Structure formats: structure tokens, C-alpha cells
Amino acid sequence: MTARLEPGTRVFHGGQIWARTLPGGTGLIVRVEGPDLHGDYEYLVRTAADFSRRPGPDNPEVDERWWSSRHTRRAWEEPAW
């Protein structure tokens, strides 16, 4: 069983090792389904057009993909001083 992340949470995919310390991650949860019989969730995540690169003005977050909670990690957030 995995902990539920809420819509609006910034995340990265567990397979994106390079994004582990990227402030804001590589996606935004827009919808949550579940839990299933195993206690896992499915997240509809808005990601960049080119999933293999950092999001930004030249790579806007315009695609939506379903990610399992087993592979979805909360993104690191920069402190707001």
C-alpha cells in the first residue's frame, strides 16, 4: 500500500533518476484514482511534451499520462524564504 498524493502535488517518475533533485519535478498530479485491491493509486500527471527533458518554456507541460503510485515520487521543492 502506498500513501496517496493529492491533486496539485508536483512529482517525478521513479524512473527519472536525473529528476530526483530537480525543484518542482517533472509533472503535476491532476487526478487520482483508487485505491485498487492492493492499496495502490493511479495518478493522471501533466508532463512536459518531451518527457525525457526538464520542463520549461521550450518544453511545456501539455501531455497527460497515467502513473502508478508505485513509481510516482513527490518532487523536491525549493524553500520559500
Side-chain angles (χ1 to χ4, degrees):
M1 185 165 149
T2 56
R4 177 187 163 122
L5 298 173
E6 298 300 321
T9 302
R10 298 292 309 178
V11 294
F12 70 96
H13 192 278
Q16 293 177 305
I17 302 295
W18 57 270
R20 191 176 340 165
T21 60
L22 180 66
T26 59
L28 176 74
I29 295 176
V30 295
R31 189 168 136 198
V32 180
E33 295 288 328
D36 64 14
L37 294 174
H38 304 287
D40 297 323
Y41 296 90
E42 288 291 324
Y43 300 115
L44 183 60
V45 180
R46 186 173 304 126
T47 65
D50 181 351
F51 179 67
S52 66
R53 293 190 307 122
R54 180 183 187 146
D58 65 333
N59 192 25
E61 292 181 351
V62 294
D63 287 349
E64 291 185 345
R65 306 162 193 261
W66 285 100
W67 291 358
S68 166
S69 59
R70 291 179 182 247
H71 303 289
T72 306
R73 307 290 181 262
R74 182 184 302 272
W76 179 77
E77 298 289 336
E78 289 186 290
W81 306 103

